[in-house]
Amino acid sequence: MRWRPALTLSLWMLGLCTMLLLTGCAAPQQLATTTPAPNAVLSSANKQGAPPLTQPELDVRPFADDRCALLTSSQLTQLGIAVAGQPGDSPLGKRCRWNATDTPAKVDFFLNVNTQLGGLDQLYRLKSGFQWWEPLTISGYPAVIHDDIWLPGGCQINVGVSPTVLLRVGLSVKSGAEQAHDYNAPCPRGVAILEQAILTLKGGR
């Protein structure tokens, strides 16, 4: 599986300049499990064009020290993940990574809570820097899949769970002779992961 260490470095550098370029690698695809974000009248706070938040804000503070708790064991089983999450740090703060590449799931993914960028509207401010930009909603919350290049095998999605907080998943699926069945369209996996994490944030775990 191809993991991209250069991605972390570029995020760190761009974060210092407050121009956060969150990149992932995935081919454009239609997500049957999601609904395109509606063209709603923007609130005064969304000056960059992000859809307004129409769902209750979600409190991420209970998970400030343990991002791995965003997915319970039963949720991981539902997602087909049989490995434990490994906590770690990133330029965007604490995150949790589940490396199930060498299991039947054939995926390596992480969850991160981004409080540094300033919410989905600030990500929209950087929209022109991405070749691929696909708005959608996940469990009623505005989200976007974005990439500066189009490559198969990976996906990154940010969902706005409050005006200033993004819940982010990044994943890479196995390539090569034993590549994952969804190698060319892995983003539905990211959507499913975020749906479960949002359920946790709502207290429904």
Side-chain angles (χ1 to χ4, degrees), residues 71 76 188:
L71 294 176
L76 289 168

Side-chain angles (χ1 to χ4, degrees), residues 47-78:
K47 298 179 180 179
Q48 306 299 329
L53 187 67
T54 60
Q55 299 294 315
E57 295 181 26
L58 299 178
D59 186 3
V60 301
R61 289 175 297 177
F63 305 91
D65 296 323
D66 187 7
R67 305 304 196 206
C68 296
L70 286 165
L71 294 176
T72 67
S73 57
S74 61
Q75 289 173 324
L76 289 168
T77 298
Q78 183 176 338

Side-chain angles (χ1 to χ4, degrees), residues 57-60 62-63 69-70 72 75 141 195-205:
E57 295 181 26
L58 299 178
D59 186 3
V60 301
F63 305 91
L70 286 165
T72 67
Q75 289 173 324
Y141 290 84
E195 287 174 340
Q196 293 300 318
I198 288 172
L199 184 62
T200 300
L201 289 171
K202 287 181 175 180
R205 44 183 178 156

Side-chain angles (χ1 to χ4, degrees), residues 63-179:
F63 305 91
D65 296 323
D66 187 7
R67 305 304 196 206
C68 296
L70 286 165
L71 294 176
T72 67
S73 57
S74 61
Q75 289 173 324
L76 289 168
T77 298
Q78 183 176 338
L79 293 167
I81 305 301
V83 299
Q86 300 297 319
D89 295 319
S90 77
L92 300 177
K94 293 183 182 296
R95 71 176 188 180
C96 188
R97 178 182 177 187
W98 291 263
N99 188 350
T101 305
D102 296 323
T103 74
K106 299 182 180 181
V107 65
D108 184 357
F109 72 94
F110 67 84
L111 279 172
N112 167 266
V113 177
N114 183 348
T115 60
Q116 298 183 21
L117 183 61
L120 191 63
D121 200 46
Q122 289 304 307
L123 186 58
Y124 266 70
R125 181 171 59 88
L126 307 177
K127 178 180 177 180
S128 62
F130 301 105
Q131 293 182 11
W132 180 25
W133 183 270
E134 185 177 341
L136 65 155
T137 58
I138 300 176
S139 299
Y141 290 84
V144 66
I145 303 168
H146 55 90
D147 206 337
D148 63 331
I149 54 176
W150 291 353
L151 290 174
C155 184
Q156 290 199 73
I157 310 173
N158 276 278
V159 56
V161 296
S162 87
T164 59
V165 177
L166 294 170
L167 180 62
R168 173 176 172 248
V169 66
L171 65 86
S172 294
V173 296
K174 194 170 187 175
S175 61
E178 299 180 355
Q179 76 177 33

